[in-house]
Amino acid sequence: MSPFEVTATDGAARAGVLRTAHGEIRTPVFMPVGTKATVKTLHPDEVLDLGAQILLGNTYHLHFRPGDDLIRELGGLHRFMGWERPILTDSGGFQVFSLRDTIAKVDDEGVTFRNVYDGSATRFTPELAQQIQANLGSDIAMCLDHVPPAGITRRKLEDAVRRTTAWAARQRDAPRADGQLRFGITQGGVDEELRRRSTEEIAELDFDGNAIGGLAIGEDRGAMFDTTDWATALMPAGKPRYFMGIGDPEGILEVIEAGVDMFDCVLPTRTARTGSALTRTGRLNLRNARFARDEAPLDDTCDCPACSRFTRAYLRHLVNQNELLGLRLLSLHNLRFLLELTRGAREAIERGDFGTYKRDAIERLQWASS
Ligand SMILES: [Zn+2]
């Protein structure tokens, strides 16, 4: 039986259920990022109470600290971090390739780089990326891909596409953990021919799901959404589609409209660290003096632990004093906001009303900044 089932569609947008070894995920789904086996500053029960269904773990970081062998010895990543729901692990490809000046050599066999922890030379191959994720015991493992920067030459982009397919074919043959699903990743930037080629080649390898990689890395946003629209339509309809690394409210609604089922981003926790809140009427920078006497909650429609009890004035004080509670409350709020936005989108798709939902949400978001 296929682990994924589409339960409703509205235009290209769809709602579905993905079954994993640690339970079902209802899609579309926003996946909070727990890079180092923690969603920064939050207890896993808090993350669960916010409505999170699945967390991301990071192959690159966990391989070096504390080590995937150690995590396996201690019973796997779920047990290690006290999270019994689904976990997706990325392959480390994005981290290796985004730290460009640490790369020593990329060839068809793998990539050699100096790791950020002790600077020693390390080699990642598709087989190792799979082995690390098998040790972690994640529910969904991602293929190692070659992620080129935005704006490189077409020839280099083509190289990355070719290598990504060759690596995916090798990783597909490597042993995985019991019940672990495995997703392929497409590359090709916003180049129509290369993205199409990559999408077809990865689909041909018949993974459990397919991801769009190498977008949201600094290219033109309009071109990114155009590419997402047509590239998503080329991806197998009966399998989950994952857009890697998008988490701003408008971006989430755009990719859902294109037919994407899963997405992740560090934005909610990273935004919290800058003292900002995501709200339905736009972003609030709490360092702004206009909040000094503001007794309203961050968002009067939100039921998170920050909004149900504290004023903007108090949160502004915590942020300005770099108090840990401020960081925690903003993280709780920002995550709740994106999880609710996504849950609302799912319900709108089920009602056949996603177009209105998206238009209303985007109008509200623009209201505050206008
Ligand atoms: Zn809130």
Side-chain angles (χ1 to χ4, degrees):
M1 193 175 80
S2 166
F4 183 66
E5 185 190 344
V6 174
T7 54
T9 58
D10 184 1
R14 61 230 206 121
V17 181
L18 176 61
R19 296 181 180 86
T20 77
H22 287 81
E24 290 184 357
I25 301 159
R26 294 170 59 83
T27 63
V29 63
F30 175 76
M31 305 186 283
V33 179
T35 305
K36 299 183 178 181
T38 166
V39 178
K40 287 189 191 304
T41 76
L42 303 185
H43 190 291
D45 290 350
E46 292 176 312
V47 180
L48 188 65
D49 288 345
L50 294 172
Q53 306 181 72
I54 174 172
L55 298 184
L56 247 71
N58 192 291
T59 290
Y60 180 104
H61 293 286
L62 296 174
H63 172 62
F64 294 112
R65 299 287 187 278
D68 49 289
D69 286 330
L70 178 71
I71 290 176
R72 185 186 59 179
E73 197 184 312
L74 296 174
L77 185 56
H78 296 81
R79 187 165 163 197
F80 185 61
M81 66 187 285
W83 173 261
E84 286 308 320
R85 302 296 175 106
I87 295 175
L88 179 148
T89 44
D90 66 10
S91 63
F94 180 78
Q95 283 69 33
V96 170
F97 288 101
S98 62
L99 301 162
R100 304 214 75 76
D101 31 322
T102 67
I103 297 177
K105 183 173 170 234
V106 193
D107 54 51
D108 288 352
E109 177 62 25
V111 51
T112 305
F113 58 97
R114 285 176 288 105
N115 79 64
V116 294
Y117 289 96
D118 62 13
S120 64
T122 309
R123 183 131 176 100
F124 266 17
T125 61
E127 291 79 10
L128 179 63
Q130 182 56 52
Q131 189 194 323
I132 294 169
Q133 294 177 85
N135 282 342
L136 296 172
S138 58
D139 297 280
I140 303 171
M142 300 301 298
C143 284
L144 184 68
D145 55 341
H146 182 171
V147 191
I152 53 157
T153 65
R154 192 165 190 282
R155 191 195 172 103
K156 286 186 174 162
L157 194 58
E158 187 166 13
D159 257 1
V161 164
R162 181 184 55 76
R163 194 167 283 134
T164 294
T165 299
W167 286 358
R170 278 164 52 197
Q171 188 166 342
R172 197 186 57 159
D173 293 334
R176 49 180 161 177
D178 281 348
Q180 190 172 46
L181 304 174
R182 190 158 36 199
F183 284 18
I185 305 177
T186 70
Q187 288 292 333
V190 295
D191 183 289
E192 195 159 344
E193 189 196 329
L194 294 178
R195 177 66 64 173
R196 175 183 293 271
R197 184 191 306 170
S198 184
T199 305
E200 288 168 357
E201 288 175 354
I202 296 298
E204 185 69 21
L205 291 169
D206 198 23
F207 288 102
D208 300 303
N210 297 286
I212 300 178
L215 290 183
I217 56 171
E219 73 284 2
D220 173 76
R221 223 168 132 82
M224 171 183 84
F225 290 132
D226 286 347
T227 303
T228 306
D229 275 343
W230 61 256
T232 304
L234 296 175
M235 297 165 82
K239 293 179 179 181
R241 301 158 169 166
Y242 168 21
F243 189 110
M244 305 182 79
I246 199 155
D248 65 289
E250 296 90 345
I252 284 177
L253 295 167
E254 291 289 345
V255 302
I256 289 175
E257 187 172 50
V260 166
D261 308 299
M262 308 164 71
F263 32 87
D264 72 285
C265 196
V266 295
L267 181 92
T269 42
R270 182 168 290 171
T271 304
R273 291 202 290 281
T274 67
S276 291
L278 306 168
T279 77
R280 55 203 283 282
T281 52
R283 197 179 289 215
L284 302 181
N285 176 2
L286 288 162
R287 296 186 195 279
N288 194 311
R290 74 186 163 105
F291 298 120
R293 288 180 171 75
D294 192 336
E295 294 193 84
L298 288 175
D299 187 326
D300 59 15
T301 63
C302 179
D303 61 357
C304 84
C307 294
S308 53
R309 185 147 171 188
F310 302 105
T311 62
R312 292 174 176 180
Y314 178 60
L315 291 164
R316 173 175 187 273
H317 161 69
L318 294 178
V319 164
N320 278 338
Q321 295 305 312
N322 296 316
E323 284 291 340
L324 293 178
L325 181 60
L327 185 53
R328 278 179 36 70
L329 290 172
L330 285 181
S331 296
L332 287 164
H333 168 78
N334 287 344
L335 277 171
R336 178 68 177 162
F337 172 70
L338 293 181
L339 290 163
E340 279 296 287
L341 180 76
T342 306
R343 189 183 59 81
R346 182 168 62 238
E347 289 174 0
I349 293 166
E350 286 166 350
R351 289 194 307 271
D353 198 20
F354 180 72
T356 309
Y357 179 82
K358 180 188 173 216
R359 191 177 59 243
D360 289 353
I362 287 181
E363 269 173 19
R364 271 196 309 273
L365 285 164
Q366 287 160 351
W367 177 76
S369 48
S370 64

